Structure formats: C-alpha cells, structure tokens
Amino acid sequence: MNDRTDWVRTRAWLTGCSLLGGVGAACSLINAYPQVVPAPPADAAPPTPGAIAVGGRVPTGDAGDQFILTALDPSTGLEFPGARTPMTVSAVVYDAYGASGRDLWYVFESGAGAIFPLPGEPFFVDTMQLDRTTTPPANGGSQWHQVGQLQIPAGVSYATTAAALNYVAYVAYGDPDGDGGTGGCADGGVELPAANYALIVLDTSDPTNLQCAVVLPLDTQPVALVGTPPADPTVTFGGSLSLGYKASTSPPSDGGGSAGNAEGGGGPSDGTAPDGAGGADAGAPAAEDDGGTDGPAGSDDGSTGGADATVGGDAGGSDAGGAVACAPPTSGSIAHLTTYGLSHDPISNQTSIGMQSDVSIYYPGGATDLGFAAVQLDQTWGVLVATGAAQTGPGGGMLTFYPLQESSSATTSWCFPFADPVIKAPAIDPCSLPAPTAFVTGTNGTSAVPNQLYAVMLSPDGGIVAPSTPLGHSGQTLSFEPFKSTLLAPYSQEDDNFELTAFAFDVATLVDDGGEPLTREQTGTPDWNPPKVRPNFVATRSSVSLCSP
Amino acid sequence: MRPLELGSISLVLVCLTACTTKTDPPTFEGIAASTTDPDCLSATLSWQPATDTGPSQAHTPQDQIAYDVYLATAPGGEAFGEPAFASVTGQAAITLSGLPQQSVVYFVVRARDAAGNQDDNRVEQSVTTATKSFFGVQTIFDNFCAVVGCHVPGDPPRGLILSDGFARARIVDQPANTRLLDGGEIDLVMPYDADVSYLFVKIDPPLFEAGMSEFGRAEGTLMPAPQTGAMLQPQEIATIQDWIQSGAVSCPADAGGDQ
C-alpha cells in the first residue's frame, strides 16, 4: 500500500474529512485549490498517524461474544496492543472538523447489552481519545481514554450519526405518546418531544462536558444524517446537518420538474420531514430489494419511469477513463434531503438551528436504496447521493452532488454501471487528484453478478469510473483510510464468516491508464492482518490537514 | 418435687442435645406435579409441604423448610450434589425458566430442614419443553439476518428490522408488502401457517422455488442471500417453521421495539 504520510506532511492546513463508520458516512472532501487554503496555525500539531477504530464483537465460544471497541494500525491492520476495550459500540464518529490539535472520537454506546437499543433503553455518547503518545508507538501500544460521557436518549442507527464543527448529532427515538419520557441528556434529562423521532445535537466544544444543544422533533425517520463544517472556514462553530429521507412515493404526474430538481428553501417549517417523504418503515416498497434484479419485470409501484434515460445507455460500462457525467434524474421515486444550519451565539452560548433547504431527489426504480455522504467539490460543501440500479429497465448507479447553499440544486451527476438496487453510502477519498474519488458498493449484488466495488472520480467536467472490483462478500459499510489510502469494507456474518476487508487504492492507476485502482489486500498477510474481531462499525482518523497542498 | 425437677432438667438437656445434633430429615413425598408453559421454555413444579417432626425445639417449621431441585436429561440421572435451583423456604411450588428447547427434562425435588438435613426421595417427574419459543428464532436472526448493513435499525432492506427486541413485533401479522398473483396480500408471519408466511417462504428452498411462480413477480433471492456465503441449516429452518406453526408466540414477552 502507498504511504501518504510523507507528502501529507508537506501540505498545509485546510479543512477536514469526516469518515463515519457507517452507511450514513459523512465524508468531507479536501479541495485542491490552494488559494482558498488558510495558513496553518503556527502551533498546529503535526499530523497524527492514522488509526482505524472498530466497534465489534469478539467470538468467545460458549461464553458468547464480547462487544468491544478497539483500534488498528492502518499500515498492517494489526490491533494496537492495549487498545481493546469492552464496550457495546453502536456507532463511531471521528471529530474530523474539530479544531487543530483536537483528536476526538465520538463513540455511541448502548447500555442495553445489544448494539441497537430499544426506545428508552440506556444510551451514551463517549468522547474518546486514542492515546499514542503516553504509550509510545515504539512498542506499538495505544489506549483509549474516555474524556467525557453523556447519557442521551436511545439512538436509532449508526447511519444517522454525524459531526459538525464543535457538534455531534444523531437521530434518537422520540416520545410519540407525549408522556414526558426522557432519555437522559445533560443533568436532569431532556424531555423528548412528542414525536416519533428527534434530531439531537450535542455541543462538544468542551469534550469533557458535552451538552445537549438542540432537540428537534421529527415525525418520520431519516435514513441518513450527514454533517458538514461551516462554509466559511473562519467560523469556529457550526456547520450543516442534512437529513436524508427515502420515500416510495410515485413520481409527479407531470413526470418531474426541470433538470436540477431543486426545491430550495421549501419544505416544512416545523422541522419535520416533508410530506411524502416516508421514513424507512413507513411502508416498504413493493419491489424486492434484497439483491434480486433478475426476476420478471413488473414492478407494481409505478415508480420506475424517468431515470432510464439518464442512468442507462451510455452509463459508462467498463470503459474506465471515459467521461461519465450524466444529468440528474427528473422523475422517478422521490426522496428528500433536508438541511439545517447550526449557529452559535458566543454571548449566550446558545445554539440555534434552522432549515436551510429541502431538496427533492429523484431516483430510479422504487425499491432502490440511497446512500449519502458529505463531500466538498470546487470549494463547495454538499451531499453526494448515491442511487442504485432500477429494479427494471437498464441498470446503473448514479452519484449526484447537492450543494448546501443557495438553491441547493443538484449540480452534477456521475453514472456508472451498477446492477444492485441496494446501494450503500459512498466512502470518499478526499485527497485524490485531480478530484475526490467516491467508492460505492451494493449489498449482495445480483444472482448473476456478485457484489461489485466501484471507484468514481468526481471530476466536475466528467469523471472517471474504474473497472469494478469484486467485493468478495456482502456490502455492509465502506470507509476510507486516508493515511494509507485504503478502502475498508467490514463484513460480519454468522460464526467465522466475518472479515475486515481492505483494498489499496492507487489513484494514479485510475487517472493515468484507467486500470483497476483497487487491489484487495490478502487478509492474514503482513500487509493486512486484522484481529479476529467481528467488525460491526469502522471509522478512521482523518486529520484536517491531510489533503492541504 | 426435686426428682421431677431433675427429670425436667434432664429432658431439657436431652432436648438441647437433640436440637443441636438433629440428623433426621423432613418427611417429604417429593414432587407431586410438573407443568410446562406452552409459550416458554419453563416448567412449574409443585409438591405437598414437607413436615419435620421431633421436639419443638429441634424441628423446622413448615414455613422454613427449603426445597432443592435437581435436573437431569435422562431418567434417574440427577446428581444430588449442588442443586440446580433452591426454592424460597416454605414454598410449595417453583417455576424454572431458561430450560433447553425441545428437550425432556427430569426433576427431583428434595426438602431440607434448617439444620441442613435433606430427605433422599427419588420421586421424579419430567416435562418436554417446547420448540416454539422465540428465543431460538431470534438467535437465528441475530446470526444470519440482523447483521450490520442488513436487517437492523436504520435503513434495512424492505424496512424489515430483525434485531433482538424489534423482530417479533415487526413480522407477526405484519404485511409483507408484496402481492400474490390474485392481488391478495401476504403477511411476513402468519401464526400457525408457515407455508403462507412470506418470511418463511424466503428462507425455505422448496417454498421459495414455488413462491417464485405463485407470487408471479421477482422475489429476490433465497435468504440469507447466497452472496453472503451463509446458509441456514435444515434444523434452523425447522426451528422457525415450528415457531410459526405453534402460533408464533413470544417468550419472554415482547420487550418492545414496536415503533
């Protein structure tokens, strides 16, 4: 694997990347334009070495599995001695937008004995540091230190956790009966709203003393939460939180709006999801979505139209290196991306939240899934939305960029050959040049084509799609480790059927000759030898200075 | 009077000696009845209270006699060392939970006085535990289905969550959101009828093959998806089938997760 450490150290401060260890991975991109790069603080800490946090289970035979948090060396996959800590991890978020020298991981922890708590069950967020200084790397040691902890209302999913600047947010179960239930949050608890769900934002400016800053009621369940830092890099607090809602509604009768399909600024004012933006459990789509695309046609949900023209046809095939820019769909199923801005009043120390935009997202084929990730393109932060193949008609996947400013129109899309309707959230390499690269995979592929992994370079004027690489197992989540330029694909099934799979990413191969840029590391070799831990959740350290020129 | 008084003192001394050296156990007829909860892997054992005789200073009152329960998986197989369960003193019944599924479990109950003397009866009764507890089904879900990235909270395929605490309420009498050729609906789990329970159709190879034509539409793949490299074994399929055929009961009671 390539080691980026040397060239990384030559680069200056810019901004950050958040690589969440989950489907709702919030990844920021470091842009490649030095003129917008702030000078590094004089006392800026040197780049920290890479680290991979893993929340998982250790098989212990008849005694049952033990839930743990641990950390791995990205160079080898080896577990740092001393890093294994008993903990029922529900999600891990790296504080990638934090201030210089701040190196925090937010670990969501279930107190219920299972990684997915039920409403009302004990739930915590721990601010953790991975100490590699008091235990020198010379002996390979590392240790987790708990900096702070706060009991909070039970969270729904790892896919709805995200960081902003001095904030971490997640979606919690609400109190739909309105009986005054609390789930903890700061001293004395915070009363949950009389709603099905709540977006809870925690102020992390003092990592030893997290505070509930915002509790926003949500009627329907978002399937993703993406955090981005403030657009203005001089702002020290805030950013945006985007909630992704998947829907199974029929397309508009007029077949959709104009290209770009923006509804900037529209939507509800009460903080809830737009009408028609059904939650994940608000009526599963009629079409099967567990991997089969080879059955007879006849999806009965009436939502397969529209996207074929943009996704199919010349969607790229396997002709790596070819431009794959394509127009955003203007019809199909409708999802929503609802973005809120966070602001902080330093006088009152109060946080406020307001809706910035609500965007309709058209995507093909009713039962296809969506994946969301934060990305920065051409100096603009936004959300990259991945859509899987249609159940019927030409297959194809699409990545569409939705900036979070002004009209919020979709600006650019990239198409790539893809057969699986159940796509996962993209992972992002923010440092690849000339543009960031997104990695996508599905859940199970199809009966004809095993699950594939794609690398798509997000060049504004086109893009490059790499030949696909077999993932080798079902897709769970993807995370990108920037120090070693490694794509991580955890997989955890029954018995011994689990693996933390790693792929070395060589951007030069992608850019220069259009070859296969992803090379699977052979697990169990000196190059990649992770511990025997079922990897449920993976997150990576991604210093804000990584990609600065 | 003195001899009498002396005699009384002697009696008292005899009594005190007996009190401290009592070795005879309570009189106990052993277990009288055993029943199983049809929904749970549990058994309730009952008995007639034991009696303990002797001078009043030595015997153990009935409400202080304890009962020890010994288990075996074969007739007469109880090892009378450390009991598997001990009842609260004075009780005439005990409910045992967490018994192995689909097993015959044998019990002997013995009475124990306050001095630790235990009767030696070998009266044995047995129960046959059910196969239909949800425990076993949830274990299968946990291993094969409710894995991160699939049927867990968040954005699971078909919106179907099969995680512990969520699963049963999400599948029993819940629509599968698929349609038969005649336009009819099908539930994920229809109690007492596995063959028309969509969840079971999706995991049972013969039913799945038939279902492909019966439902007349793409039904995806047999679950777990072949690409996972995982495959349910026949006994695991049977466990789920038995549970549905037995009414898809819950044991213990649902913890919630109905949101």
Side-chain angles (χ1 to χ4, degrees):
Chain A
M1 290 184 286
N2 297 328
D3 190 333
R4 287 185 175 183
T5 305
D6 290 339
W7 70 262
V8 161
R9 284 177 177 154
T10 67
R11 295 188 171 214
W13 172 277
L14 177 56
T15 179
C17 170
S18 164
L19 291 171
L20 301 189
V23 169
C27 295
S28 70
L29 279 196
I30 313 306
N31 72 47
Y33 299 89
Q35 66 273 22
V36 299
V37 179
D43 58 349
T48 52
I52 302 167
V54 177
R57 291 188 296 160
V58 180
T60 56
D62 293 340
D65 291 355
Q66 180 189 29
F67 293 107
I68 62 157
L69 171 70
T70 191
L72 314 183
D73 184 339
S75 300
T76 60
L78 290 171
E79 187 174 21
F80 291 131
R84 189 172 294 196
T85 302
M87 185 179 289
T88 307
V89 176
S90 297
V92 185
V93 177
Y94 185 68
D95 180 45
Y97 307 135
S100 172
R102 188 166 126 139
D103 182 25
L104 293 175
W105 307 73
Y106 303 115
V107 180
F108 291 88
E109 178 186 7
S110 169
I115 58 177
F116 298 107
L118 294 165
E121 288 189 329
F123 199 63
F124 306 88
V125 61
D126 299 278
T127 47
M128 306 288 287
Q129 285 186 323
L130 186 61
D131 182 357
R132 301 205 65 205
T133 54
T134 58
T135 308
N139 67 8
S142 191
Q143 208 165 20
W144 289 106
H145 293 295
Q146 186 187 67
V147 178
Q149 186 188 60
L150 183 68
Q151 182 166 0
I152 52 179
V156 175
S157 169
Y158 57 93
T160 45
T161 57
L165 180 53
N166 281 320
Y167 295 103
V168 66
Y170 76 107
V171 175
Y173 294 105
D175 178 28
D177 298 330
D179 58 4
T182 61
C185 199
D187 294 336
V190 165
E191 186 169 338
L192 286 167
N196 291 325
Y197 303 94
L199 173 65
I200 295 183
V201 183
L202 307 171
D203 181 336
T204 66
S205 55
D206 178 357
T208 67
N209 185 26
L210 303 186
Q211 300 286 335
C212 280
V214 171
V215 179
L216 184 72
L218 304 172
D219 285 339
T220 53
Q221 180 189 342
V223 297
L225 175 62
V226 175
T228 56
D232 180 351
T234 64
V235 173
T236 58
F237 247 102
S240 296
L241 296 171
S242 297
L243 295 165
Y245 291 93
K246 192 171 71 174
S248 56
T249 53
S250 298
S253 57
D254 63 359
S258 59
N261 55 64
E263 293 180 2
S269 58
D270 60 355
T272 60
D275 291 342
D281 54 356
E288 182 69 30
D289 59 356
D290 51 16
T293 59
D294 53 350
S299 174
D300 52 7
D301 59 8
S303 57
T304 57
D308 297 354
T310 55
V311 177
D314 57 352
S318 294
D319 52 343
V324 290
C326 51
T330 56
S331 63
S333 295
I334 305 172
H336 278 263
L337 185 66
T338 308
T339 299
Y340 298 90
L342 292 169
S343 59
H344 179 257
D345 181 346
I347 305 300
S348 65
N349 196 31
Q350 295 295 307
T351 297
S352 58
I353 190 169
M355 183 181 287
Q356 287 181 326
S357 63
D358 176 59
V359 182
S360 293
I361 301 171
Y362 294 101
Y363 64 106
T368 64
D369 265 10
L370 301 171
F372 299 78
V375 70
Q376 191 184 35
L377 293 179
D378 195 18
Q379 308 174 43
T380 301
W381 282 99
V383 176
L384 194 68
V385 179
T387 57
Q391 281 283 336
T392 59
M398 177 176 288
L399 294 161
T400 304
F401 179 64
Y402 294 87
L404 302 178
Q405 301 166 334
E406 301 175 353
S407 69
S408 299
S409 300
T411 57
T412 313
S413 287
W414 299 265
C415 292
F416 55 98
F418 195 75
D420 191 340
V422 189
I423 201 167
K424 299 298 185 185
I428 306 292
D429 176 2
C431 303
S432 63
L433 296 174
T437 301
F439 305 94
V440 288
T441 192
T443 298
N444 284 321
T446 70
S447 57
V449 182
N451 203 20
Q452 298 293 300
L453 179 62
Y454 283 91
V456 180
M457 181 165 278
L458 305 174
S459 305
D461 58 349
I464 305 172
V465 60
S468 63
T469 303
L471 186 60
H473 50 64
S474 299
Q476 184 171 303
T477 60
L478 294 176
S479 296
F480 190 77
E481 201 293 308
F483 285 88
K484 294 294 294 184
S485 194
T486 305
L487 184 67
L488 301 168
Y491 176 59
S492 177
Q493 260 281 349
E494 88 294 349
D495 299 331
D496 293 330
N497 191 9
F498 60 86
E499 182 177 18
L500 178 53
T501 312
F503 294 84
F505 176 55
D506 181 4
V507 67
T509 300
L510 175 62
V511 174
D512 295 344
D513 61 19
E516 295 185 24
L518 291 165
T519 305
R520 181 171 181 149
E521 300 284 358
Q522 293 302 311
T523 299
T525 66
D527 282 343
W528 188 247
N529 194 15
K532 299 293 184 188
V533 174
R534 292 177 183 277
N536 287 332
F537 308 107
V538 171
T540 59
R541 175 186 279 142
S542 184
S543 166
V544 293
S545 61
L546 262 184
C547 307
S548 306
Chain B
M1 292 297 290
R2 181 173 295 271
L4 181 59
E5 290 174 353
L6 287 173
S8 299
I9 293 171
S10 298
L11 282 174
V12 169
L13 288 174
V14 168
C15 177
L16 287 174
T17 301
C19 287
T20 54
T21 61
K22 178 178 182 294
T23 57
D24 53 317
T27 300
F28 182 50
E29 295 180 355
I31 187 171
S34 59
T35 60
T36 54
D37 185 320
D39 288 353
C40 301
L41 299 177
S42 64
T44 299
L45 315 178
S46 59
W47 51 83
Q48 292 297 318
T51 56
D52 198 29
T53 56
S56 60
Q57 295 88 342
H59 81 255
T60 301
Q62 270 192 336
D63 63 358
Q64 294 180 29
I65 294 176
Y67 299 89
D68 297 326
V69 182
Y70 299 89
L71 271 58
T73 54
E78 294 84 2
F80 293 104
E82 189 72 17
F85 299 94
S87 75
V88 177
T89 53
Q91 288 192 344
I94 186 172
T95 297
L96 312 175
S97 59
L99 300 177
Q101 184 169 278
Q102 199 176 9
S103 301
V104 180
V105 185
Y106 298 85
F107 305 95
V108 169
V109 178
R110 289 181 168 180
R112 177 166 38 86
D113 66 17
N117 300 305
Q118 188 188 64
D119 83 290
D120 59 358
N121 86 82
R122 290 182 176 271
V123 178
E124 188 176 68
Q125 293 221 0
S126 66
V127 299
T128 301
T129 57
T131 62
K132 56 193 176 186
S133 164
F134 192 59
F135 281 128
V137 175
Q138 184 62 61
T139 299
I140 296 168
F141 287 168
D142 288 344
N143 288 335
F144 292 93
C145 317
V147 296
V148 174
C150 211
H151 291 288
V152 298
D155 186 19
R158 304 185 69 87
L160 178 59
I161 300 174
L162 295 176
S163 301
D164 188 13
F166 295 84
R168 186 179 172 278
R170 304 283 181 136
I171 57 177
V172 177
D173 295 322
Q174 297 300 307
N177 291 309
T178 191
R179 294 176 189 170
L180 303 175
L181 277 178
D182 62 4
E185 299 285 342
I186 184 170
D187 283 347
L188 285 163
V189 168
M190 181 174 290
Y192 304 106
D193 202 341
D195 287 358
V196 295
S197 295
Y198 185 67
L199 181 141
F200 189 69
V201 170
K202 286 283 289 183
I203 64 167
D204 183 70
L207 276 177
F208 178 75
E209 292 300 320
M212 290 290 287
S213 56
E214 180 182 351
F215 298 135
R217 51 163 296 136
E219 290 294 325
T221 57
L222 187 72
M223 290 282 112
Q227 296 89 337
T228 65
M231 180 180 293
L232 291 178
Q233 297 302 307
Q235 67 268 26
E236 291 164 328
I237 297 173
T239 296
I240 295 175
Q241 183 179 34
D242 290 346
W243 171 70
I244 297 173
Q245 291 300 115
S246 302
V249 296
S250 171
C251 181
D254 286 332
D258 295 348
Q259 287 204 18

